[in-house]
Amino acid sequence: MESRSLAAAGVSTSSASVCPRSATSTSSSTSSFRTILSVTRKNSLQLLRVPPASTRSLSSISSHFLQSNTPFRSASENSTFGRCSERTYFRVLTVRAAMFDQLTNSLEEAWTKLRKEDVLTRENIKEPMRDIRRALLEADVSLPVVRSFVKNVTEKAIGSGVIKGVRPDQQLVKVVNDELVKLMGGEAAEIDYAKTKPTVILMAGLQGVGKTTACGKLALYLKKKGKKCMMVATDIYRPAAIDQLVTLGKQVDVPVFEAGNQIKPAEIAKLGLAEARKKSVDVVIVDTAGRLQVDKGMMDELKQMKKVLNPTEVLLVVDAMTGQEAAALVSAFNLEIGITGAILTKLDGDSRGGAALSVKEVSGKPIKFVGQGETMEALELFYPDRLAGRILGMGDVLSFVEKAEEVMLQEDAEELQKKIMEAKFDFNDFLKQTRALARMGPMNRVMGMLPGMGKVSAEQIREAEKSLKIVESMINSMTPKERANPELLAQSPSRRRRVALGSGRSQEQVSQMVSQLFQMRARMKNLMSVMQGGSIPGLDNLEQSLKGARKAPPGTAKRKKIRTELQSKYAAAQVAGASPKDVKAQLMLYSGCHPLVQDGKIMSRTPSSGVSKWRQRKSIEPKA
Ligand SMILES: Nc1nc2c(ncn2[C@@H]2O[C@H](COP(=O)(O)OP(=O)(O)OP(=O)(O)O)[C@@H](O)[C@H]2O)c(=O)[nH]1
């Protein structure tokens, strides 16, 4: 496998030299290489070491990468590049699979097998449970976890009996959801704070898993919660590690304590803690050096640091891409140094997410945070129930709302609401919204949080992103006046022509965008009314026009026009979320069709009386 993979990439195994990072490991270079391969093989990854000669053939490798010893992502290929030295680097080819997509789809297949059943039995549940088992294993959930999960779900599903009005497949989804939440630890686990400050958080983990990045992210997360933070750089082995932490500290505006690389990590930690006490810091986050694999040297060093720091939290940073190994790793660290929880990083990558499901069950320690990107904002508290919802394709609306709140200022939100209610939403607001959406993270992740949107294909998301870019280019070609008054564009073909020319789009595209904005105004206003608990949207101002409809002679152009208007408003109200029955009832009420309320009485017209003649047939008290 090893030589075949290398040969497939046109690389000779013998010419592959050793990255200095592996050389820092106590094991030999060959065994380091094997370790990585065995981990990656389980994740369907191939890890290749490419000698300098073949680097030149890969146009996507930037010279910056080779000089700066920093990892980067290739722009032109679906591949991730590991950290490298100036002579060699790792190239990791990954099988792209959006996190949990496969699992969600496979689980859905399992439910469909129960559609025709009336009740869950030991017999008819066998096949769906086999599918669930396979789906979990394929998602890299560890085998003992899968076994006990399947057993628990089977027992609970059969034991749940018949629930009136609930189909067996829905019943199974509910059991699986509850068990998934339980498996992942139930409640979200926040940071535990020390009774007397500072709270010390010791970060541990293997090389390159994202420890230093997680330190910066956690500092920002805690800073947003109003904590005064400080970071301590104790990775004296990797030359750029201290600088990396200092740079991240500047980015998130949190001070970093460093004392060079000539004294022992435990000593630096001690000095850092003293400094934090002096400065009355609330939380100290201590970054540590990683190793390629669990070894005695690293464990001893961590034990010494733990002794010196007496930390409230020892968080193990785990790369989600290590798949099944993640849970075992957490157990090993827990046995050796005693950890309080884990941070699972790179969940945005090619991981199949299995680690998120196994860590708590195997190690007994909760995942406290998940990292979903390289930016400092990409750290989230781990909510087992929300993730279960996402896995089962039910979305995660709470996370969506939280993200939206994060990227949107309160005043902006209030102003937007006012504009929406007055149907004055303009192109400036549109631009603001799309930019806020972009700040919420990659569109596929944002979409994944919305119920029913999990099924939106990557292709559709790419299309949507492309369309947004096109719209943005057209808005950028508008004058400030046009942005604030879309009516100007609606009224003037010459303005639309100018915008089309300026943005390199067709006039048709510009017209389409303008008309979409007006449609959006109407829809948003309706939606907002529903959310604010107002009456059925789109109908508030109808009474006036509908009075006219009642008076207009049937068959006349005016009546036809009003009917068309009504139909479109009916559709808009439905889009806005009102139940069709309610919408219909109110429309009928206002439009003069029966039943009709006048003076608190329901009036009706006889079918035989013709459309033009109205008469009061009988008075009926409105139903309670
Ligand atoms: N996509 C993605 N990349 C991440 C995430 N967290 C970290 N990274 C990237 O992973 C790489 C390694 O991260 P580091 O923080 O340097 O890893 P480390 O564990 O401190 O490495 P050592 O100090 O050498 O042990 C960097 O390129 C990070 O940008 C994440 O959640 N998602």
Side-chain angles (χ1 to χ4, degrees), residues 243-260:
D243 291 345
Q244 188 188 352
L245 196 68
V246 171
T247 309
L248 292 179
K250 280 188 191 138
Q251 246 181 60
V252 298
D253 196 20
V254 167
V256 174
F257 179 85
E258 54 126 336

Side-chain angles (χ1 to χ4, degrees), residues 396-438:
D396 177 3
V397 176
L398 284 178
S399 296
F400 179 82
V401 172
E402 273 173 16
K403 278 251 156 251
E405 277 172 355
E406 251 176 52
V407 297
M408 217 171 175
L409 297 173
Q410 180 68 22
E411 313 87 76
D412 277 357
E414 276 164 16
E415 197 200 317
L416 180 69
Q417 188 174 338
K418 197 163 157 260
K419 278 187 146 177
I420 290 176
M421 288 311 288
E422 290 168 4
K424 283 188 178 155
F425 184 82
D426 60 32
F427 284 116
N428 286 321
D429 304 312
F430 184 88
L431 218 51
K432 236 187 229 172
Q433 294 316 297
T434 41
R435 283 174 187 164
L437 189 72

Side-chain angles (χ1 to χ4, degrees), residues 21 70-73 81 83 205-215 217 235 238 241 244 248 287-291 317 319 344-349 370-375 378:
R21 282 167 69 89
T70 48
F72 78 107
R73 203 168 257 274
F81 290 84
R83 200 184 292 277
L206 296 184
Q207 231 172 42
V209 290
K211 269 186 313 306
T212 310
T213 314
C215 286
K217 288 176 179 177
D235 185 352
R238 177 159 65 87
Q244 188 188 352
L248 292 179
D287 186 22
T288 60
R291 298 283 199 283
V317 183
D319 183 338
L344 203 57
T345 60
K346 309 189 192 178
L347 266 178
D348 55 314
V370 286
Q372 303 207 60
E374 292 176 85
T375 61

